Amino acid sequence: MFWGSRKTIDMNYFPDEVLEHVFDFITSHKDRNSVSLVCKSWYKIEKYSRQRVFLGNCYSISPERLIARFPGLKSLTLKGKPHFADFNLVPDDWGGFLYPWIKAMAKSRIGLEELRLKRMVVSDESLELLSESFPNFKSLVLVSCEGFTTDGLAAIAANCRFLRELDLQENEVEDHRGHWLSCFPESCTSLVSLNFACLKGEINLASLERLVARSPNLKSLRLNRAVPFDTLQRLLIRAPQLVDLGTGSYVHDPSSEAYNKLKAAIQNCNSIRSLSGFLEVAPCCMSAIYPICENLTFLNLSYAAGLQSNELTKLIHHCRKLQRLWILDCIGDKGLGVVASTCKELQELRVFPSDPFDAGNAAVTEEGLVLISAGCPKLNSLLYFCQQMTNAALITVAKNCTNFIRFRLCILDPIKPDPVTNQPLDEGFGAIVRSCKGLKRLSLSGLLTDQVFYYIGMYAKKLEMLSIAFAGNSDKGMLYVLNGCKKLRKLEIRDCPFGDTALLEDMGKYETMRSLWMSTCEVTLGACKVLAKKMPSLNVEIINGSEQTEFNLDDRQKVDKMYLYRTLVGHRKDAPEFVWLL
Amino acid sequence: MSSENGKRLPETDAAGLNFEATELTLGLPGKSRVTSDGGAKLGSKRGFSETVDLSLGDKKDTNKLGQTQSQIDAREAAPGSKAQVVGWPPVRGYAKRGKKSCKYVKVAVDGAPYLRKVDLEMYNTYQQLLASLEDMFSCFTIRNFLNEKKMDQVNGIEYVPTYEDKDGDWMLVGDVPWQMFVESCKRIRLMKNTETVELAPRTPPKWSRRS
């Protein structure tokens, strides 16, 4: 009865502020991008209300265009170098410089509050300019970056009056011994998160203690190796509210006063859910942390080389609520069995190699992984460095765990077949992609033929990132992937027999992807030139190894490294001599 | 009379003159010189293995099995041997992880015919180290400063643990914090007590006072 009298409500009659308020609830980048495509007025409202921007490739757009597009920018995430730069495949000075971004945002008086960077080159100059240009700056997160020293950190500490977060993960930082930590003024009491675990040098311990004492909101604290046990104990007394702790040096005499004090202090820290560090560790001191283990959801022992398998398993026994575990392979298959029977909530597991270059000696094999898959049905993210893998094991894992989103397997001998059957691992990985319909990221290793790529193209429909090394027999392999994986965004390939035919078959595909990396493959210079000419929306870069100073101009020559990515702004102007933009 | 770094010294003649060093060359001393084979050699001497072209993964030829040279190189390089393929395994920060620092130092005991070696990183306190040394040299007793009353039972000889530090000085073990000791210790010597009777401290070292 009432339905007939209802009028449809036309959203276009809402004032802009109402729409803006509605858009506030839309936080995912993808969704906001979609919103901006609906109509001109939505585009405009979304444009001015957009505060957070993510750029997966800093060269896809220029700082000036970004600022023009989103003048209300407050939080920027930038990624620079290609992923393989982490493994020394990209020469230094390739690019990814932060400075132009800071300069442009400072000039346009952007109200920047948060900056998250990955694999960027960050100079002290850029940190200084950053600290001076954005009065409301709150959060700096640097992951795998380089190019700065502790002087740059001193500027951040001294000038960012409302700093909440300084998070340094795995960066290469030159230590200038300048007491950067002492540069936080006495008036700075806003810190929520402080992580300097990757710094190699000494820090002023007294300043650190005073800083922690005057930071009542501090929730996350990760120390470096230079912070000794005694200081840790005093810090914990000051900050019992910590949620995330990274110890520095964790070595002491268990019969000492300081040790007892630490035990007492830790028992008071009943909010700690995340534990890492142990960069130096004495096994006899580990029992002090057992009281907090039962509430831990994240445990990172991947730097704790001083702990043997039995000590690790003793610790794991207490960690029933663990959701994420990062550990060294010295835990062994049996130790992983303990993890499997204890950590029923486990979602993410990373097992790192303690001796990466001794392929015959890794302590974990397919057995450990099978145990984990049987005991931890919630597992969805895996990074596993191991000595060997079998098809049977992968098939079992695929049956036990269908929820994988990330599956990264690294057999230390990169082309090792199934040691039981001597077959390639095509069937095993095939089972994984068939079973895990939500798989977004996959890294392959072991002996692999074109067949594995057939399976990937057929089944990995949600795959976004694929890493391939020493695999395949022919162009068909790469073509299966390019044709089948509709959601593919990043493809990185090294040492595979994929060549021009595969590269040029579907050039439009690369416009739907963020980037493609191919090194030591069969791709020739001529083919790269063809691609660059036909696709002006792509930058095709040829990177010379450090040994070569001149580019060989013969089109038939195979290129050493090729990196291509879609971009709105054409050739970058900051490429070094050894990078040739076609 | 040796030439600047980089040149392998030819046999000098009887008079000790090194003619190559006096050879007139273009360029400043010490700079890399172009040798006769056209390749420039850098300043420091390089061992043979470094001058061998380890271009793993650069060769593109495929063999009959359809594997590229790089795949073959990888197989030859990886298992067991320590030869490394660039960028493999794909683990960042491997130098920081897993590399157990080990600090082996020689231990000499007065009167013993041979030396031993211990890894200082295996211990966390002086107590543990000395106990281990006592085990190692089981017929001696190392004077244990923590427990003044412990006298040697077997043959009445006491040994005082001393070490040589980075500056080359011989120090009494136990004065500085353990980590500092580990970092600065180059070698250890257990001195017979008769030699050290003048040196033995009236007050025990700092760490023994810890309760």
Side-chain angles (χ1 to χ4, degrees), chain A residues 565-578:
Chain A
Y565 50 90
R566 66 181 175 190
T567 176
L568 294 174
V569 289
H571 282 183
R572 59 184 174 113
K573 310 282 185 298
D574 61 1
E577 271 180 8
F578 55 82

Side-chain angles (χ1 to χ4, degrees), chain B residues 110 143 158-162 172 189-201:
Chain B
D110 290 351
R143 174 155 179 191
E158 278 188 356
Y159 288 80
V160 177
T162 64
L172 186 68
R189 180 179 161 202
L190 303 182
M191 286 173 121
K192 253 195 216 159
N193 205 11
T194 49
E195 273 188 42
T196 62
V197 101
E198 308 89 6
L199 303 171

Side-chain angles (χ1 to χ4, degrees), chain B residues 60-107:
Chain B
K60 314 284 191 298
D61 315 318
T62 56
N63 66 6
K64 290 191 192 127
L65 297 172
Q67 288 176 325
T68 61
Q69 186 61 34
S70 58
Q71 289 172 318
I72 296 162
D73 286 340
R75 181 189 284 144
E76 275 160 21
S81 71
K82 299 276 186 171
Q84 295 161 26
V85 178
V86 174
W88 192 269
V91 53
R92 184 180 165 78
Y94 66 83
K96 297 178 219 160
R97 285 199 163 91
K99 277 242 145 113
K100 281 182 247 202
S101 54
C102 62
K103 182 137 191 219
Y104 275 98
V105 297
K106 288 184 191 170
V107 182

